[in-house]
Amino acid sequence: MKEIAEDLMRRCLARGALAAEAYVKMGERRAVELNPDGVVSWTRSAEGGIGLRVLREGGAAGFASICGPRPGDEALDQLIMAAMDAARPAVRGAGTVFALPKCGATRDGRGLGIFDPRLHAATPADLEGLLSDAAREALHIDPRVRRLDTASIVVSSTRVMIRNSEGFDGAYRQTIVHLSLGAVAQDAGRSIVVRQSKTARSLSAFSPVLFGDQTARLALSALEGSALQGCRTPVLLAPAAAAEVLRHFSRNVIIPAAAPGAHVTSPRLTIIDDGHLPGGVASAPFDGEGVATQRTVLVSRGVLTGTIHDLHSAARAGAAGTASTGNGMRMSFREPPRRMTSNLFIAPGGDEPTELMRALRDGIHVEALRPTTALRGDASVFAGIVTGRRIVSGLPQEAVAGALLVAPLSDLLHGVTGVGNDLTFGLPGGSFAAPSLLVKEVEIRAPWA
Amino acid sequence: MSETPNTPLLVDTDHLGRILAASLPAGVRAAELFIESRLTLGIETRDTDPASGFPRVERGWETGAHLRRFSEGRHESFILDSPEPGTLEALALHPQAVTVDWLSDRPKLGVPPAQTLRPEARLDQAAPSSEAGPWSSPWLTAALSALETWRDRLRRHAAGAGFTTRISGSLEARIQEILVLATGKDPARDTRPSLDATLHLEIARHGTRSEARERLCARSLDDLVAMTQGDALVRLFERAVEGLDADAPPSGTMPVIFASPSGGFLLHEICGHLLEADHILRGDSPFVASRGEAIAPAILTLADDGSMAGMRGSLLYDDEGVAARRTPLILQGTLVGFLSDRLTSFATQGISTGNGRRQSYRDTPMPRMTNLVIEPGPSHPDEILAGTSSGLFVTRLGRGRVDPATGRFALAVEEGYRVVSGRVDAPVRGAVLRGRAADLLLAIDAIGNDPQADRGAPLCVKGDQAVPFGIMQPTLRVGSMTVSGPER
């Protein structure tokens, strides 16, 4: 691929591009799914391609992509023409001019814990075995968990390469595994489905058996859970639930509404983006435009201290010293880099979750929050369906389920009065993580009434 | 300007079909090869990001193949991006033997050495032509010009009324070609051009702000431009202005009128998804045991129809090569059918209803709606309104959620008006409709004679896949429905 990328750079410059960048991502994806009717579906995909970005006069950028391992000469020619043509002049006045990184790659991902040779070499039988372990455990816990609505495991092994006309040349390999279970718990004519997923970089980072156990127990909680009447109550968010709130908050991180120095959360919260986190699901040695990844503190003890940048947004910010934080992320070769969070997490506090439960006294321990649509026109309100337990005098009581937790995001984050020491990665989606959070009061209501 | 697709899938279908049928290993009862070529163009311009200055333009071209083999208790899928000459044949013959080595510096697909390759059995390796379609320079110029014209017209209109504006516009063009070869079936080809545009307008005056959004879909750029020639942009501005001084919504149980075609999205959610055969077979729908029963008044006849000309969800063939057709779902109030693909067709007497749809060759088909069609009723929409003493008149629905197992739903009204003494009265904002699918269907008490196709760009989302679908709906009145204020 190096030769193709070099050829692309030469041809782009010869056609008048000021700079060009080729992003190549290729690899294999294997998936096994156990269907509810007992049928096993097995999928193997070979996927990959090239994304080409060109910069022209005045900072205009154009992007085009093409899939496949070895595009023909004519196809490459058309790719260049499409990208060059897409780099149109600014609509009004001058646009933002930015430069691609010049230095060569100094890091290739080794030591970062993002490539697992065992995962790379896993056979379909291996994957089927792992999935069966998780499924068997989920169905073993209690006879009321009678079947699985979904059960799948997906493993990707890919190689990423970036080469640009300024001399940057970097590559790394990565693996990722994604396990999903949907447990159906049934009793007395009532049926509840609880779906959970876990994402990791290596086989050693998670236990399918434990995951099956946790999913089934959550389904049982949801089945046993009594409905909650509408109320305002303090809550203790378990790590998975708190991570869902953080995921919602991540939109505010990208383009913060407040200025640096503003108090945007409770002083107990410190929020960090770290693209170089060992074993992180979103970790890489460099981002989707070749900038070295880093750790960026976004909120320190409740105060907005910074934001994330890609090359374009850093140049647009215009302030002296503003540089990309390595957050020009790409989901695939099909799209240009976008300013996005990498591994976003809330720093752990010093409290044991049991201490936080005692501090809660009377309220709800929210074990899981399934995000749902807030029926308002903006993203400032968080809404999620609760599965958890009522807490009385600091002790867990009966299960509660199905209620809607709905709150303005700022109220939720300003209302945090305690932070646990149980920061947990891998749930949900893998790149958002949080410890237990004690929130002084939120609104709980019936979701359909 | 020609918008003819220019990446023909040059495949010798007879030859490849014979290989597919002859190469079934023991125990495999059927095989299907789905081949796709897709050209895409995405454009985005926004005032909210003025320092950027540039339209964001992205182009993509991809081809791929997805082979499925069905055995008793086991299905196998093999997916390849951009198969090279001969690889399709090898894939059909010995999918397990096609090795992938894309992680090295010289990526390659290994093809079994005994293969006799025929040059016809391949995808065309030629690149998309620059002369036509969304990859062409004139097409992009015309699309950017259209977006700028719309924004300028909106800006002028708002400035004339003393408002400042922020306007974002986007346009997504796709030309998708598919070819499906399945054992025991004739080859099926389909070409699906589509164009979606979104305009988002935010207006402000004296410290108050309001916003409105318009989504449009068309089969060509010329059609899209024609759709904005009338009052569509003025109406967008007016909707934003109405939002400035809209009343709080009424609250309680009341009649709700869905102007044509505004209620189609709700009916898609509760009749489309809940009548999909996979939900039915899993017992994940309130209509599992309702076939043959009256689930709505006799005035309601509702079907899925992928064969209607010119509709957003219309197809020649679905993504399993089954010819698109009309599938009655509710006939004069009685539930008569479900939507199936090949795998779930035993819920529909063993025959797929032609609703096997997938987002791309990388995905597995699932039963999905194509076009939701509600037959017109006897009433003029003015009569329906005049016969409603008070209630809510809905012209646009917003976000919502549905619980498939119970059919319960909650849906925001993006644009609605009070009904007072049989007339449309003041606009209201923030109303939420709540209820159960089964109750809503039974409460429909009037259907207009004014069916209209939805000119927006509705998307059916299921799992991680989104596919376009169409709506043809006359005015509907639900006699009794729960309406509440905004959720917060």
Side-chain angles (χ1 to χ4, degrees):
Chain A
M1 289 309 295
K2 248 183 180 174
E3 291 87 346
I4 290 178
E6 277 172 13
D7 184 36
L8 271 175
M9 299 302 99
R10 270 195 303 272
R11 287 157 74 168
C12 287
L13 297 181
R15 290 185 188 208
L18 295 180
E21 164 201 83
Y23 176 91
V24 183
K25 187 173 185 179
M26 290 190 175
E28 192 178 14
R29 186 169 62 92
R30 282 152 279 154
V32 176
E33 186 175 359
L34 302 176
N35 297 319
D37 54 6
V39 173
V40 179
S41 293
W42 185 86
T43 302
R44 195 184 75 176
S45 311
E47 51 196 20
I50 303 171
L52 175 66
R53 184 165 64 160
V54 296
L55 304 184
R56 301 188 73 173
E57 207 60 53
F63 178 83
S65 69
I66 195 165
C67 75
R70 282 185 299 189
D73 201 54
E74 190 189 352
L76 287 179
D77 218 38
Q78 289 294 331
L79 179 71
I80 294 167
M81 282 173 59
M84 293 289 285
D85 181 49
R88 296 291 176 115
V91 177
R92 286 179 195 80
T96 306
V97 178
F98 67 100
L100 299 175
K102 289 182 186 299
C103 57
T106 53
R107 297 189 285 190
D108 64 2
R110 271 177 283 198
L112 195 52
I114 58 174
F115 180 77
D116 177 9
R118 275 206 307 149
L119 204 52
H120 171 71
T123 65
D126 295 336
L127 300 184
E128 206 169 321
L130 289 169
L131 188 58
S132 295
D133 289 347
R136 203 168 28 246
E137 186 64 20
L139 295 172
H140 171 73
I141 299 297
D142 188 294
R144 289 173 295 170
V145 180
R146 294 181 183 179
R147 62 186 175 88
L148 296 175
D149 174 67
T150 52
S152 66
I153 186 165
V154 182
V155 169
S156 312
S157 181
T158 52
R159 178 183 169 92
V160 172
M161 191 193 86
I162 297 181
R163 189 169 180 86
N164 72 28
S165 57
E166 306 300 298
F168 182 88
D169 178 11
Y172 61 90
R173 296 172 79 170
Q174 60 180 352
T175 50
I176 203 151
V177 56
H178 186 79
L179 180 61
S180 296
L181 286 183
V184 183
Q186 293 173 306
D187 194 16
R190 191 156 174 255
S191 181
I192 294 285
V193 184
V194 167
R195 298 185 180 92
Q196 293 283 287
S197 63
K198 175 131 179 122
T199 308
R201 288 293 196 179
S202 66
L203 282 174
S204 59
F206 75 118
S207 156
V209 171
L210 183 60
F211 181 71
D213 177 280
Q214 289 168 342
T215 305
R217 291 189 190 284
L218 203 56
L220 288 169
S221 282
L223 182 71
E224 294 164 355
S226 56
L228 279 166
Q229 297 302 310
C231 61
R232 293 192 68 83
T233 177
V235 294
L236 176 61
L237 302 176
E244 288 292 2
V245 175
L246 183 67
R247 170 150 55 179
H248 199 86
F249 177 69
S250 68
R251 301 173 204 179
N252 297 6
V253 169
I254 296 170
I255 304 176
H263 292 265
V264 293
T265 72
S266 151
R268 293 181 179 269
L269 291 183
T270 291
I271 302 176
I272 298 164
D273 181 89
D274 191 349
H276 209 70
L277 185 76
V281 166
S283 293
F286 47 84
D287 71 359
E289 43 193 359
V291 177
T293 50
Q294 65 178 55
R295 179 184 173 97
T296 307
V297 178
L298 304 170
V299 175
S300 177
R301 297 174 187 270
V303 176
L304 186 68
T305 52
T307 186
I308 55 170
H309 280 296
D310 60 8
L311 288 171
H312 185 244
S313 72
R316 210 172 58 205
T322 304
S324 168
T325 52
N327 287 88
M329 311 294 281
R330 304 203 204 213
M331 295 298 101
S332 88
F333 65 89
R334 295 180 181 85
E335 58 188 53
R338 292 179 198 277
R339 183 186 182 189
M340 286 170 60
T341 56
S342 58
N343 301 295
L344 185 71
F345 62 95
I346 295 173
D351 295 329
E352 292 288 338
T354 47
E355 292 168 17
L356 292 175
M357 198 174 286
R358 275 196 292 276
L360 174 70
R361 286 198 56 77
D362 298 321
I364 307 296
H365 183 213
V366 180
E367 294 168 335
L369 259 180
R370 180 164 54 85
T372 187
T373 312
L375 301 180
R376 284 191 46 191
D378 58 53
S380 66
V381 177
F382 175 85
I385 307 286
V386 172
T387 301
R389 288 200 173 265
R390 193 185 298 278
I391 305 297
V392 177
S393 300
L395 295 172
Q397 306 292 320
E398 81 274 15
V400 293
L404 183 74
L405 184 157
V406 57
L409 199 57
S410 63
D411 289 3
L412 263 175
L413 295 171
H414 278 288
V416 172
T417 56
V419 179
N421 59 5
D422 53 347
L423 174 64
T424 307
F425 283 91
L427 297 167
S431 61
F432 301 95
S436 291
L437 298 181
L438 183 60
V439 183
K440 65 179 174 192
E441 191 176 78
V442 298
E443 182 184 352
I444 302 275
R445 58 184 292 174
W448 310 106
Chain B
M1 180 183 316
S2 167
E3 297 188 24
T4 309
N6 44 32
T7 57
L9 299 173
L10 294 181
V11 175
D12 181 338
T13 53
D14 288 346
H15 176 66
L16 203 54
R18 277 197 301 275
I19 290 177
L20 196 65
S23 62
L24 294 187
V28 175
R29 56 182 160 81
E32 169 203 275
L33 185 58
F34 177 88
I35 308 168
E36 178 189 356
S37 167
R38 179 188 297 238
L39 281 177
T40 56
L41 169 69
I43 307 172
E44 192 178 355
T45 57
R46 50 173 63 193
D47 284 348
T48 49
D49 196 8
S52 166
F54 301 104
R56 189 179 182 112
V57 179
E58 300 168 23
R59 285 180 162 129
W61 177 45
E62 54 189 316
T63 54
H66 188 149
L67 174 78
R68 291 196 295 167
R69 282 178 163 179
F70 306 99
S71 315
E72 208 54 54
R74 191 171 191 89
H75 301 157
E76 292 180 335
S77 284
F78 305 87
I79 303 167
L80 280 179
D81 274 1
S82 189
E84 296 188 308
T87 315
L88 280 179
E89 193 171 319
L91 185 67
L93 263 175
H94 301 293
Q96 303 278 14
V98 175
T99 57
V100 182
D101 182 17
W102 284 10
L103 296 179
S104 68
D105 281 341
R106 294 178 179 277
K108 62 173 188 257
L109 278 169
V111 176
Q115 220 54 73
T116 305
L117 302 177
R118 284 170 41 129
E120 298 91 339
R122 64 179 176 85
L123 280 178
D124 181 19
Q125 287 299 295
S129 161
S130 61
E131 299 306 313
W135 265 47
S136 77
S137 188
W139 203 101
L140 174 57
T141 302
L144 285 168
S145 168
L147 270 174
E148 268 314 290
T149 302
W150 299 336
R151 295 172 77 200
D152 282 343
R153 281 170 56 193
L154 276 172
R155 212 176 276 121
R156 277 201 307 272
H157 208 79
F163 290 98
T164 58
T165 56
R166 289 207 294 188
I167 305 168
S168 302
S170 67
L171 196 146
E172 281 181 40
R174 287 181 300 278
I175 296 179
Q176 181 198 30
E177 268 197 281
I178 66 152
L179 168 63
V180 186
L181 298 172
T183 49
K185 309 281 180 188
D186 290 334
R189 284 180 185 272
D190 201 358
T191 301
R192 302 162 182 170
S194 73
L195 191 53
D196 294 353
T198 303
L199 283 168
H200 178 256
L201 169 67
E202 188 180 312
I203 58 171
R205 188 172 64 181
H206 309 316
T208 56
R209 296 195 311 174
S210 179
E211 58 185 351
R213 187 186 304 270
E214 182 69 273
R215 282 175 64 85
L216 298 167
C217 70
R219 292 269 168 154
S220 73
L221 189 56
D222 289 344
D223 288 349
L224 192 63
V225 170
M227 288 167 71
T228 58
Q229 294 299 327
D231 64 351
L233 298 182
V234 176
R235 185 70 202 113
L236 175 63
F237 171 69
E238 288 173 349
R239 280 173 36 221
V241 172
E242 282 171 359
L244 284 173
D245 49 13
D247 292 347
S251 179
T253 303
M254 65 191 72
V256 176
I257 300 172
F258 294 96
S260 169
S262 67
F265 179 67
L266 174 58
L267 285 160
H268 165 76
E269 290 296 323
I270 64 173
C271 286
H273 288 302
L274 301 186
L275 298 179
E276 290 161 349
D278 52 347
H279 282 300
I280 298 295
L281 292 169
R282 283 206 302 258
D284 201 13
S285 163
F287 301 118
V288 168
S290 303
R291 193 172 192 154
E293 293 180 4
I295 62 168
I299 53 171
L300 182 68
T301 290
L302 183 151
D304 177 83
D305 193 343
S307 64
M308 290 179 77
M311 292 278 289
R312 176 171 168 80
S314 297
L315 314 160
L316 278 179
Y317 298 93
D318 74 358
D319 296 325
E320 296 181 304
V322 178
R325 65 192 65 183
R326 184 182 184 87
T327 304
L329 299 171
I330 300 173
L331 191 62
Q332 296 180 338
T334 300
L335 179 61
V336 294
F338 301 120
L339 302 173
S340 66
D341 59 4
R342 281 186 165 155
L343 284 182
T344 58
S345 60
F346 41 99
T348 48
Q349 285 81 48
I351 300 169
S352 164
T353 57
N355 290 90
R357 304 188 68 194
R358 52 178 130 198
Q359 184 170 298
S360 83
Y361 64 90
R362 292 182 295 277
D363 302 301
T364 303
M366 294 186 281
R368 321 279 289 270
M369 268 203 147
T370 56
N371 297 308
L372 169 81
V373 180
I374 298 173
E375 289 296 302
S379 309
H380 191 281
D382 292 347
E383 291 170 29
I384 296 175
L385 184 61
T388 309
S389 58
S390 68
L392 186 68
F393 186 79
V394 176
T395 50
R396 188 176 294 257
L397 287 172
R399 303 197 257 177
R401 48 179 183 262
V402 176
D403 178 5
T406 61
R408 289 186 297 194
F409 64 86
L411 207 62
V413 175
E414 196 173 301
E415 186 182 309
Y417 303 83
R418 283 178 190 273
V419 177
V420 178
S421 302
R423 289 184 299 107
V424 172
D425 200 69
V428 295
R429 279 288 162 99
V432 175
L433 307 177
R434 299 174 192 276
R436 286 176 185 266
D439 298 340
L440 179 134
L441 288 173
L442 286 168
I444 292 173
D445 65 0
I447 298 183
N449 58 6
D450 58 340
Q452 278 186 52
D454 192 334
R455 299 193 312 165
L459 281 175
C460 166
V461 179
K462 184 175 179 182
D464 294 330
Q465 300 186 44
V467 295
F469 77 102
I471 294 168
M472 178 71 83
Q473 179 229 307
T475 297
L476 291 175
R477 183 175 65 197
V478 179
S480 176
M481 200 167 182
T482 301
V483 180
S484 67
E487 184 174 77
R488 67 160 299 160

